[in-house]
Amino acid sequence: MKKIFMGLAAALMLFVLLIVVFSVIFFFTEADEVAAEGETIEVVADDGTIQMVPRTELQGAVQEQDPLKVELDSLKALLATVSVGFDSLEQLLTIKDATVRALEDRLQVQDAEIVSLREVDVNAQQMARTFATMTVSELSPIVSQLGDKVVLDIYKHTTNKRRKFLLSALGVQRAAELTNRLVKREGS
């Protein structure tokens, strides 16, 4: 977009330079020819000097300038439109960048949560293997001190054969509550 803007600016500058060059050439070459034609008008130049310019030359210059002014105004309008479009694209890019950064932040948080959940899962697997070597009387005092979520995580990694030992160690009331939670959670 900057290349387009720079190209338009360069084209506009070249256009203005060509207008100035042609105007200077036109005024100096025509001045000698028209001087012989007759009526002249005093014109104050940009440098403050007064020049005598034939009326017909002055009228021709004015007629040439009108289409050039229209063209210049058209180019200015085009430049303004391109500038607005460029600003709009910059705003969209800024919004897109902010959205990408927010999504990257969320992704990092979720990655950290996944790592944490994997760690919990590995620990639950290890504890399930350890509990598999214990008897119901050895398990009972341990599982009575554990939270329901921990017991459920360990239960999931326990073999079917050893699950009965874990449920027996929990006691009837707590085993029933955990079974209800497990069934509801998996069925949800």
Side-chain angles (χ1 to χ4, degrees):
M1 191 53 97
K2 286 184 179 180
K3 288 181 180 179
I4 292 172
F5 181 75
M6 294 300 290
L8 285 173
L12 183 61
M13 291 165 65
L14 180 63
F15 181 72
V16 170
L17 180 65
L18 286 174
I19 290 172
V20 170
V21 168
F22 284 120
S23 296
V24 168
I25 291 171
F26 178 77
F27 283 121
F28 285 114
T29 57
E30 293 291 321
D32 295 335
E33 296 172 7
V34 178
E37 290 181 13
E39 191 176 336
T40 60
I41 298 174
E42 288 184 8
V43 176
V44 178
D46 291 337
D47 62 358
T49 59
I50 298 176
Q51 297 177 347
M52 297 301 290
V53 178
R55 180 180 298 273
T56 56
E57 184 180 321
L58 187 59
Q59 289 172 343
V62 169
Q63 289 174 351
E64 283 182 24
Q65 282 183 347
D66 287 341
L68 294 177
K69 283 183 181 179
V70 170
E71 183 67 24
L72 185 60
D73 289 343
S74 172
L75 289 174
K76 285 180 182 178
L78 178 63
L79 182 61
T81 302
V82 169
S83 178
V84 167
F86 179 73
D87 290 344
S88 176
L89 288 174
E90 273 188 331
Q91 288 175 348
L92 288 174
L93 186 59
T94 301
I95 291 170
K96 179 189 156 264
D97 288 344
T99 303
V100 166
R101 279 192 299 276
L103 289 174
E104 286 174 346
D105 291 345
R106 283 182 54 198
L107 186 59
Q108 286 178 351
V109 168
Q110 289 178 347
D111 284 346
E113 288 176 8
I114 288 171
V115 167
S116 175
L117 289 174
R118 283 184 182 152
E119 212 173 282
V120 167
D121 195 48
V122 167
N123 291 339
Q125 286 176 350
Q126 290 173 350
M127 290 310 299
R129 279 190 233 120
T130 302
F131 284 5
T133 64
M134 299 176 145
T135 64
V136 172
S137 60
E138 292 173 325
L139 280 174
S140 292
I142 296 171
V143 294
S144 68
Q145 299 297 314
L146 299 177
D148 291 346
K149 174 117 175 65
V150 173
V151 174
L152 285 173
D153 286 341
I154 293 170
Y155 179 85
K156 287 180 182 179
H157 295 289
T158 303
T159 63
N160 283 335
K161 185 177 180 181
R162 297 299 297 177
R163 284 182 176 172
K164 68 180 179 180
F165 291 110
L166 183 59
L167 289 173
S168 295
L170 289 171
V172 176
Q173 177 70 28
R174 189 160 179 221
E177 289 173 5
L178 288 175
T179 302
N180 278 329
R181 287 186 60 199
L182 182 65
V183 171
K184 286 181 184 176
R185 191 164 75 175
E186 288 180 358
S188 301

